[in-house]
Amino acid sequence: MDDNQGFFERVYEVCRHIPEGRVTSYGAIAKYLGAARSARMVGWAMNSSKNLEDVPAHRVVNRNGMLTGKSHFGGSDAMQQLLEEEGVPVKSLQVQDFEKFFWDPMKELP
């Protein structure tokens, strides 16, 4: 297993803990994993997770709550629909009340 694959698996494990109706950011996951400057690599992991049904990649957004990964969900509004079905309000491709719905792995995971 190469280093990227190991990192990706660690990212997926964090993502599996994001509760329904909550979102986190690429940077928050990277920080939790001790790689605070690797938010972009977390994004690559999310892009590579599309065939993993147990990884809720739609719950990972950028630091401002923007749905930057939306193009990886088969349709332009699929990511938004998934979030809205879970009760997360989205307007103009941005999570509304981002702070209210933000899940911080640093606070929530051991």
Side-chain angles (χ1 to χ4, degrees), residues 2-59:
D2 67 39
D3 288 342
N4 282 355
Q5 227 176 359
F7 183 81
F8 283 17
E9 286 304 318
R10 291 171 52 215
V11 168
Y12 301 151
E13 188 56 36
V14 173
C15 288
R16 289 180 182 109
H17 291 287
I18 306 168
E20 186 173 315
R22 303 288 298 279
V23 294
T24 196
S25 68
Y26 304 104
I29 293 172
K31 183 177 177 182
Y32 175 78
L33 294 175
R37 305 189 89 186
S38 298
R40 184 166 289 167
M41 196 163 180
V42 172
W44 294 337
M46 292 294 89
N47 182 36
S48 297
S49 73
K50 52 187 137 211
N51 294 325
L52 303 174
E53 293 179 20
D54 65 333
V55 176
H58 64 283
R59 297 179 188 150

Side-chain angles (χ1 to χ4, degrees), residues 42-104:
V42 172
W44 294 337
M46 292 294 89
N47 182 36
S48 297
S49 73
K50 52 187 137 211
N51 294 325
L52 303 174
E53 293 179 20
D54 65 333
V55 176
H58 64 283
R59 297 179 188 150
V60 184
V61 297
N62 82 1
R63 64 189 165 118
N64 299 313
M66 294 295 297
L67 309 189
T68 53
K70 68 182 179 63
S71 63
H72 304 293
F73 286 87
S76 62
D77 63 348
M79 185 177 184
Q80 180 171 336
Q81 286 179 339
L82 288 167
L83 288 171
E84 288 176 337
E85 286 171 9
E86 294 183 0
V88 178
V90 178
K91 182 177 180 185
S92 300
L93 301 176
Q94 185 167 18
V95 173
Q96 303 298 288
D97 298 319
F98 181 56
E99 300 80 22
K100 176 182 174 184
F101 293 95
F102 183 72
W103 178 84
D104 186 349

